[in-house]
């Protein structure tokens, strides 16, 4: 079945770059997403990438997609304490409702 | 940005009782709403998809008679957990997709923590 895997924890120093990795199994995935979850707040869409793209950059965020290896990464440049949160990788299937299949989430801790 | 609220944010109920959770899109119309369940240290699991004015589509393994979903308006969907048991204790999250927006965008509520004693 479909599966999305992420490492559970990442700790970085403020100002460094963070790289959060994700692997997925469904080769028919059309879109891949990164969401951020802060305590007490709803999941927030950070960015997404279409499966025929290799890279997408949006300000401090860079998404890399290796479709052959089914590997997705999110790089956060100049990580700040406000970036501390749980980051979820998700893929969507090709159905009409485009339901999302989620990873477990990576807890990012940014140390001053 | 679009805001989705959930009410209540947490609830404790006794085994055998029913509890209703509301999901509202505050500043947009949501033709589609999704209900998720999240266990500790586990990923979000989609329970059902509801389109306004029609019956919800439940994922495999989710009992539709136990988890009643009503999406009666473009701004409100409700999830009722009937005859709740301790194993129903979980974090329930809803999301909404805007009628006129990109299908990529799902706006999430902050979640409802249900504890069944």
């Amino acid at each position: 079945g479909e599966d999305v895997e992420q490492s559970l924890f990442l700790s970085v120093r403020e100002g460094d770059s963070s790289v959060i990795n994700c692997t997925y199994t469904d080769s028919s995935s059309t879109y891949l997403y990164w969401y951020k979850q802060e305590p007490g707040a709803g999941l927030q869409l950070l960015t997404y990438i279409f499966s025929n793209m290799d890279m997408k950059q949006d300000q401090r965020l860079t998404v890399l997609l290796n479709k052959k290896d089914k590997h997705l990464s999110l790089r956060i440049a100049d990580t700040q304490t406000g970036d501390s949160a749980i980051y979820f990788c998700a893929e969507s299937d090709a159905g009409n409702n485009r339901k999302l299949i989620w990873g477990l989430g990576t807890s990012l801790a940014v140390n001053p | 940005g679009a805001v989705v609220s959930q009410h209540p944010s947490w609830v404790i109920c006794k085994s055998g009782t029913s509890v209703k959770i509301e999901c509202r899109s505050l500043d947009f119309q949501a033709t589609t709403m999704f209900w998720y369940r999240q266990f500790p240290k586990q990923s979000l699991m989609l329970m059902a998809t509801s389109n306004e004015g029609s019956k919800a589509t439940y994922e495999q393994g989710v009992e539709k008679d136990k988890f009643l979903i009503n999406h009666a308006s473009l701004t409100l969907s409700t999830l009722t957990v009937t005859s709740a048991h301790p194993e129903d204790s979980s974090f329930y999250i809803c999301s909404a997709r805007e009628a006129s927006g990109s299908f990529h965008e799902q706006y999430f509520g902050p979640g409802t923590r249900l504890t069944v004693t």
Side-chain angles (χ1 to χ4, degrees), chain B residues 19-46:
Chain B
V19 64
K20 181 186 283 188
I21 302 170
E22 291 186 350
C23 176
R24 290 182 186 273
S25 56
L26 298 185
D27 49 3
F28 66 98
Q29 293 186 326
T31 47
T32 304
M33 286 185 168
F34 302 86
W35 285 98
Y36 294 87
R37 185 172 180 179
Q38 187 179 29
F39 290 104
K41 299 184 181 177
Q42 293 190 25
S43 65
L44 274 75
M45 183 190 77
L46 179 65

Side-chain angles (χ1 to χ4, degrees), chain A residues 37-83:
Chain A
Q37 185 181 41
E38 294 178 277
L43 286 152
Q44 175 196 356
L45 176 64
L46 286 177
T47 187
Y48 65 90
I49 188 167
F50 186 47
S51 59
N52 69 352
M53 295 170 66
D54 298 324
M55 186 183 93
K56 182 177 180 180
Q57 186 160 2
D58 184 2
Q59 298 181 344
R60 292 191 297 124
L61 305 178
T62 303
V63 178
L64 294 177
L65 175 61
N66 182 326
K67 196 173 180 183
K68 175 176 166 288
D69 294 337
K70 300 192 187 71
H71 182 265
L72 183 75
S73 68
L74 174 70
R75 179 177 179 269
I76 305 173
D78 187 25
T79 313
Q80 303 297 306
T81 54
D83 294 324

